[in-house]
Amino acid sequence: MAFGKEFTKGFWDLLPPFRLVLGLCPTLAVTTSAENGLGMGLAVTFVLVCANCIISLIRKVIPSKVRVAAFIVIAASFVVITELVMKAYFYSLSTLLGIFIPLIVVNCIILGRAEAFASKRGVIDSLADGLGIGLGFTVSLTVLGCIREILGYGAIFGHNIMWESFRPFSFMVKPPGAFVCLGLLLALINFISMRQKAR
Amino acid sequence: MSDYLLLMVSAILINNILLAKFLGNCPFLGTSKRMDTAMGMAMAVVFVLTLSGVITWLVQYYVLIPLNIEYLQTIFFILVIAFLVQFVEIVLQKTAPALFRALGIYLPLITTNCAVLGVAIININEEFGFFKTMFYSFSSAVGFGLALVLFAGIRERFALVRIPKPLDGTAIGLITAGLMALAFSGFAGLV
């Protein structure tokens, strides 16, 4: 029961990056296509789940004064693993995501969850939390990537889906489009949750 | 010399680290609600980023490469940055209390500012030399500060206008940043 609750909150109540406004840099930078968004989301999920578990396991041993440094080192170790694995098996994706893979270390979501959740709760709960938040992040990035890819290239996951005379808005895949698109999506989610609350 | 000038113009205006490279967006949206916090953050970033850019470059070429452990770059860099931020904090507190009071609360936040680690990695990836690294780090930080302060100036005016409820807060901030990025992309032909 508790597992389910901690798991599902990542998909709406705490959906990053909309509800938890954290981890914006990779969200804006890599979502030029659905595939990149998905890859980035999964990489973050992996690091988040592993870091959450380890931090939760050793939470009683870490002195509270150096906890942030300890969290960063733990996250950084998993980021290095991710980096090496991606270079070995998903080379083209890793060149597309570029410096945003090492930058997962300073993704505020990881530190935020470590501080707010994993350093206080048990392993199972932390696992559920990491998995839920991570997959929520993946879904958000993929959706944002789909929107930008459809409007910017007329394609989804690299397959053309728009009619022949469709003129892509190249604005959407350029940096300004990222900000505007994320802003509008955030407004939409705010709007929906306001309607829910009003009911 | 013109080489360095071009690098500087490009880092500040064209490839602005915030608006074109998307680094450091969390503090960008977090500290831009008021002008004074934006100024404090901008100054703290210029200071730390320049220093960390140079030090991570030294670490890369004098520690990681000779020992053949380049794959530990990420861990080493983030540790160096965290250590540096802490160190700067202590030194400032003792030697320049006035500056410390101005930058104080922003310093710890910088450790998780991805612009700092991002620029350190870009310096290595682009294979910049020592002086270029120093120059590039400084100009990127100035670009960050410029965008942050301009953005705070716009954002302060939001208090005076009516914004639709769902757009209030971060959403309108993001859209404004988008328009600013569009304005900055007008510099593209400059270099």
Side-chain angles (χ1 to χ4, degrees):
Chain A
M1 187 59 213
F3 186 91
K5 217 178 92 204
E6 301 302 349
F7 178 67
T8 48
K9 70 172 190 262
F11 290 95
W12 185 254
D13 290 341
L14 286 176
L15 179 71
F18 301 109
R19 293 307 185 75
L20 285 175
V21 187
L22 296 173
L24 287 174
C25 308
T27 311
L28 290 162
V30 303
T31 51
T32 46
S33 75
E35 196 187 336
N36 290 357
L38 186 65
M40 187 71 201
L42 290 178
V44 170
T45 308
F46 170 74
V47 175
L48 186 58
V49 169
C50 297
N52 256 4
C53 287
I54 300 286
I55 288 167
S56 167
L57 272 175
I58 60 171
R59 69 184 186 279
K60 296 199 175 109
V61 194
I62 305 176
S64 70
K65 274 193 179 153
V66 295
R67 67 180 189 287
V68 175
F71 297 162
I72 291 180
V73 175
I74 293 168
S77 324
F78 288 108
V79 170
V80 172
I81 296 173
T82 318
E83 224 179 322
L84 296 176
V85 169
M86 281 185 98
K87 269 196 190 128
Y89 296 103
F90 305 97
Y91 187 71
S92 60
L93 187 63
S94 88
T95 48
L96 279 174
L97 297 179
I99 68 167
F100 287 93
I101 299 176
L103 287 181
I104 296 175
V105 177
V106 283
N107 189 324
C108 332
I109 294 179
I110 311 250
L111 268 185
R113 292 326 287 168
E115 176 75 27
F117 199 94
S119 60
K120 299 187 184 106
R121 306 286 286 269
V123 181
I124 307 283
D125 283 356
S126 302
L127 175 78
D129 178 76
L131 210 57
I133 300 269
L135 290 177
F137 188 60
T138 311
V139 172
S140 309
L141 287 195
T142 314
V143 168
L144 197 61
C146 284
I147 296 173
R148 289 181 66 195
E149 196 181 357
I150 291 172
L151 294 175
Y153 294 120
I156 187 164
F157 285 102
H159 301 290
N160 271 321
I161 52 159
M162 298 304 254
W163 56 96
E164 214 136 89
S165 58
F166 174 76
R167 297 261 302 273
F169 321 168
S170 59
F171 170 73
M172 290 309 287
V173 287
K174 293 222 173 85
F179 284 108
V180 173
C181 192
L182 186 64
L184 291 176
L185 215 57
L186 183 61
L188 179 72
I189 289 194
N190 285 343
F191 180 70
I192 295 171
S193 50
M194 275 164 149
R195 289 281 294 271
Q196 268 182 343
K197 228 175 255 161
R199 203 173 285 157
Chain B
M1 196 59 221
S2 70
D3 211 25
Y4 285 88
L5 201 66
L6 284 184
L7 187 72
M8 193 158 179
V9 171
S10 141
I12 295 179
L13 295 176
I14 301 162
N15 287 317
N16 188 292
I17 190 155
L18 261 173
L19 299 169
K21 288 206 162 94
F22 302 116
L23 294 171
N25 274 296
C26 301
F28 179 58
L29 289 163
T31 60
S32 59
K33 285 197 183 106
R34 285 172 43 203
M35 196 48 130
D36 51 343
T37 57
M39 285 294 246
M41 188 68 187
M43 272 171 6
V45 167
V46 171
F47 191 66
V48 172
L49 214 158
T50 313
L51 214 56
S52 71
V54 170
I55 293 182
T56 48
W57 188 90
L58 292 173
V59 167
Q60 171 80 11
Y61 287 99
Y62 291 99
V63 179
L64 297 185
I65 290 183
L67 294 178
N68 234 337
I69 48 173
E70 290 103 318
Y71 61 91
L72 289 179
Q73 193 193 49
T74 315
I75 293 188
F76 264 79
F77 279 17
I78 191 74
L79 282 178
V80 166
I81 290 167
F83 179 75
L84 183 74
V85 169
Q86 197 91 108
F87 184 71
V88 166
E89 214 178 325
I90 294 167
V91 169
L92 276 187
Q93 201 171 8
K94 293 281 180 227
T95 57
L99 190 62
F100 177 74
R101 269 197 300 279
L103 304 183
I105 44 170
Y106 306 106
L107 283 172
L109 288 177
I110 290 182
T111 314
T112 51
N113 182 339
C114 51
V116 178
L117 183 59
V119 168
I121 296 173
I122 291 174
N123 283 331
I124 306 300
N125 286 355
E126 299 276 327
E127 294 174 354
F128 285 147
F130 182 74
F131 287 104
K132 260 201 169 152
T133 296
M134 203 149 81
F135 230 74
Y136 181 76
S137 307
F138 176 72
S139 5
S140 320
V142 170
F144 178 90
L146 179 73
L148 182 62
V149 169
L150 287 177
F151 187 59
I154 301 174
R155 235 180 149 178
E156 275 193 332
R157 307 210 163 184
F158 286 167
L160 307 174
V161 292
R162 257 191 70 216
I163 297 166
K165 206 84 202 286
L167 279 169
D168 207 13
T170 316
I172 192 82
L174 281 167
I175 293 171
T176 314
L179 296 178
M180 246 174 86
L182 201 58
F184 268 72
S185 70
F187 289 116
L190 212 58
V191 170

